[in-house]
Amino acid sequence: MNINEEILKLADEYEPYMVDCRRKVHTFAEVAMKEDKTHAFILEAAKKLGLPYEEVPTTSVIVKLDTGRPGKVVALRADIDALPMEEAETNLVGPRTCHSEQPCTCHACGHDAHTAMLLGAMQMLTRLKEKLNGTVLFCFEEGEEPNSGVAALLAALEKYNVDTCWAIHVYAAPEEGKMCVDPGPRMAGACGIDMTFRGKGGHGSRPDLAVNPVFCGASFLNNLSVAFPQQLTAGKTVTMGITIFQGGEALNVIPETARIAGTFRFFDAEEGKKAQQLAKQTAEHTAAIHNCTVEYDPMMSIIGIPTITDAACSKLASRVLNEVLPIGTVVHCDPWYGGESFRLWLERYPGVFAFLGIKNLSEGFGAEHHNIYFDFNEKVLKTGAVSTVRYAIEWMGENDL
């Protein structure tokens, strides 16, 4: 039996285990930095396998599988946090397989599946340990949604001299079971928009005695919407999502301030910086025209880079996944405009950020992420685990002893 056949056999064996893991993690969904039950669940799995682990504050975990033979160090990552939102009782067409039992908390992005697939890969690679060289690090990252856990986890990884990293995100756009390991930007970079225009409050009946920041904010939005397509580079898409315009609380009171906030998303970091600078420049000129001032939240100084898959790692992944998965499973797909903390991993280590399709509209899978009707398609768990294991093994090499 060759290595691909062994992987597929193990995946069949551990598929029920992954389904069970996914359902349990979904049931006790926990928000960022409070993933205590999930943390304990991961530790229990590591202890049963006899694998050493490192707890990274507050709830991240690194589980180590050392073959005892020299070789590459492969870091495999799954995020474990849920979202602070309710889920609907159904998916797009009918009842869910399982429900979150935590109020206003659910896995509406698929991190429960990421956790389950990595736990499955941990079981499979442990079984294959004697045939491999080097070390695998199974990394369970807390707080991916607010990017609050990644810094501590990456700091803990520094001592391991990681050669490559790998992560999967389940994705509602591609069809069920399709894998994408394309090179280049896979998820967007982001920068915040958060500014407050300050005027002079007064009575609503005498706008001439006040300086109304609401008009200033409205004028800024108009000015920015004109400047955006005229001054950003054609062909380098930057999306502008203004989601907050807050000014005043009473119908007869001109407020002191008006706040505007949102995000820019982009796949070219320099163009993202350009968009942020354009927003500031437009805000300052607009404020001057309206006799207002403008203040920026600290988040407007932060630029989150895109999540970029290494070209050589992409080529390797495509080759080995086409060997182990059915023909037509590995496909190309467009980048995703959401953001990801895994971008910081790929800044440090060459690696792959893979997409795993879950869409099956006839069964109700295909709602957008962070949507109350989002539901995970458990049929793809095995494909994700097989892909993870096959990528790791290609780096570790088979032990000929």
Side-chain angles (χ1 to χ4, degrees):
M1 187 182 299
N2 64 34
I3 195 67
N4 290 330
E5 292 170 335
E6 288 192 68
I7 292 170
L8 292 172
K9 182 179 178 181
L10 287 169
D12 286 336
E13 180 180 339
Y14 284 106
E15 184 177 23
Y17 168 79
M18 289 186 282
V19 170
D20 182 63
C21 287
R22 181 259 158 178
R23 293 181 183 181
K24 286 176 178 173
V25 172
H26 188 90
T27 300
F28 52 69
E30 299 167 300
V31 295
M33 317 306 282
K34 297 180 180 179
E35 307 98 325
D36 298 311
K37 292 181 181 178
T38 310
H39 174 85
F41 187 72
I42 294 163
L43 295 189
E44 181 183 8
K47 290 173 183 175
K48 285 182 178 179
L49 289 171
L51 298 177
Y53 57 84
E54 176 181 353
E55 298 176 78
V56 180
T58 50
T59 56
S60 293
V61 181
I62 300 171
V63 182
K64 184 177 179 181
L65 173 62
D66 188 345
T67 67
R69 291 173 290 276
K72 302 293 186 182
V73 178
V74 180
L76 308 175
R77 174 273 209 171
D79 37 12
I80 66 175
D81 58 322
L83 289 159
M85 60 178 283
E86 295 285 357
E87 65 182 5
E89 287 295 310
T90 67
N91 60 25
L92 291 175
V93 302
R96 296 175 175 275
T97 302
C98 60
H99 298 266
S100 171
E101 296 178 356
Q102 312 310 310
C104 201
T105 307
C106 71
H107 278 287
C109 203
H111 296 185
D112 52 345
H114 302 167
T115 304
M117 289 187 291
L118 190 55
L119 287 170
M122 190 165 79
Q123 298 282 344
M124 294 163 64
L125 283 165
T126 301
R127 290 274 294 273
L128 295 168
K129 173 182 174 181
E130 296 309 317
K131 298 187 176 184
L132 304 174
N133 305 300
T135 301
V136 187
L137 304 173
F138 303 94
C139 306
F140 297 88
E141 180 184 329
E142 64 182 324
E144 187 281 326
E145 292 292 349
N147 285 204
S148 54
V150 64
L153 187 51
L154 288 175
L157 284 173
E158 288 180 1
K159 59 182 171 290
Y160 290 108
N161 298 314
V162 172
D163 291 292
T164 188
C165 61
W166 163 277
I168 291 177
H169 206 303
V170 298
Y171 191 10
E175 295 297 325
E176 171 185 290
K178 299 299 184 182
M179 286 290 306
C180 175
V181 290
D182 287 347
R186 304 314 301 146
M187 293 191 79
C191 59
I193 307 165
D194 197 341
M195 58 185 66
T196 299
F197 293 101
R198 186 171 296 278
K200 178 183 176 184
H203 198 288
S205 67
R206 290 299 304 270
D208 56 310
L209 299 179
V211 178
N212 194 335
V214 173
F215 279 99
C216 181
S219 181
F220 162 75
L221 291 178
N222 284 330
N223 291 338
L224 186 60
S225 67
V226 172
F228 221 66
Q230 303 300 320
Q231 297 189 41
L232 294 182
T233 306
K236 293 186 177 181
T237 302
V238 180
T239 64
M240 175 173 57
I242 302 296
T243 55
I244 297 173
F245 191 163
Q246 296 172 336
E249 297 179 355
L251 58 84
N252 61 350
V253 177
I254 294 172
E256 289 282 331
T257 62
R259 177 183 174 225
I260 291 174
T263 60
F264 295 131
R265 306 286 177 147
F266 47 85
F267 295 105
D268 183 296
E270 289 305 314
E271 204 67 14
K273 293 177 184 178
K274 187 176 175 181
Q276 190 180 64
Q277 186 57 43
L278 177 61
K280 289 181 177 180
Q281 184 180 24
T282 303
E284 287 157 12
H285 286 293
T286 304
I289 292 170
H290 287 266
N291 292 321
C292 289
T293 59
V294 60
E295 302 162 0
Y296 302 115
D297 185 88
M299 73 176 294
M300 283 206 67
S301 64
I302 299 171
I303 296 281
I305 63 169
T307 304
I308 301 174
T309 287
D310 178 80
C313 293
S314 167
K315 185 176 180 180
L316 179 149
S318 180
R319 174 175 59 80
V320 300
L321 296 194
N322 275 305
E323 291 176 3
V324 72
L325 297 172
I327 295 172
T329 300
V330 180
V331 298
H332 300 291
C333 71
D334 292 334
W336 187 357
Y337 278 84
E340 242 292 342
S341 68
F342 199 63
R343 69 185 187 276
L344 299 172
W345 294 65
L346 292 169
E347 264 197 314
R348 296 188 178 205
Y349 314 120
V352 173
F353 189 66
F355 293 153
L356 174 56
I358 63 171
K359 185 168 71 174
N360 184 330
L361 296 179
S362 66
E363 296 184 16
F365 305 112
E368 287 293 325
H369 298 253
H370 297 211
N371 180 289
I372 62 171
Y373 294 104
F374 177 88
D375 194 12
F376 175 68
N377 184 347
E378 293 174 342
K379 293 179 183 178
V380 309
L381 286 168
K382 187 166 67 172
T383 299
V386 166
S387 301
T388 301
V389 170
R390 187 64 186 87
Y391 181 81
I393 285 176
E394 190 63 18
W395 277 84
M396 299 175 75
E398 293 187 60
N399 175 31
D400 295 326
L401 298 179

